[in-house]
Amino acid sequence: MGYKDALKAAGARVLLFEQFGSYQGDCYAKVEYNGKSGWINGSYGSCSGCDAFEADFGWDEPTPETLAEFGKQYLDLIMTQEEAEAHATKNGLWDIEAATMVKFLKDNA
């Protein structure tokens, strides 16, 4: 279980999903939800203090309801292509994964 499963449980169609080893541990998903399509970003971090999913659920198996609720909070923040690219470049001066994330987003526009 993880971010992709949570997005699906909340009713999104997940078209693409990729995790990156950026400073904060970013994941990007291209989704369709309620007639809208775009990008979702999450930060899975390296510990329960940084990873929202792990902080909420730890090693426990989430119920379908709590999993859907967790995913829904990201679906309220669907970004356009341009917004996602800008978001991925915000730490571009020091995060070595920024260019990789932007390339992924552009290659899958």
Side-chain angles (χ1 to χ4, degrees), residues 58-81:
W59 296 106
D60 297 331
E61 188 75 20
T63 66
E65 294 80 18
T66 58
L67 188 63
E69 186 178 308
F70 181 86
K72 173 102 174 66
Q73 67 185 334
Y74 290 92
L75 294 170
D76 291 335
L77 304 171
I78 294 176
M79 294 181 279
T80 65
Q81 182 70 31

Side-chain angles (χ1 to χ4, degrees), residues 1-6 9 53 57 60-63 67:
M1 291 281 160
Y3 290 87
K4 183 177 180 180
D5 297 311
F53 190 88
F57 302 114
D60 297 331
E61 188 75 20
T63 66
L67 188 63

Side-chain angles (χ1 to χ4, degrees), residues 6-98:
L7 295 170
K8 288 180 178 181
R13 181 171 173 233
V14 180
L15 306 171
L16 294 165
F17 183 88
E18 188 71 37
Q19 292 181 301
F20 300 90
S22 57
Y23 172 74
Q24 198 51 39
D26 284 282
C27 58
Y28 280 92
K30 190 171 194 177
V31 299
E32 291 178 348
Y33 179 71
N34 284 345
K36 188 175 181 182
S37 64
W39 292 98
I40 300 297
N41 171 255
S43 298
Y44 60 88
S46 60
C47 65
S48 59
C50 300
D51 184 333
F53 190 88
E54 190 176 322
D56 278 13
F57 302 114
W59 296 106
D60 297 331
E61 188 75 20
T63 66
E65 294 80 18
T66 58
L67 188 63
E69 186 178 308
F70 181 86
K72 173 102 174 66
Q73 67 185 334
Y74 290 92
L75 294 170
D76 291 335
L77 304 171
I78 294 176
M79 294 181 279
T80 65
Q81 182 70 31
E82 295 78 20
E83 291 169 332
E85 289 176 22
H87 186 270
T89 61
K90 72 180 178 180
N91 297 325
L93 293 176
W94 56 269
D95 191 335
I96 60 172
E97 284 289 301

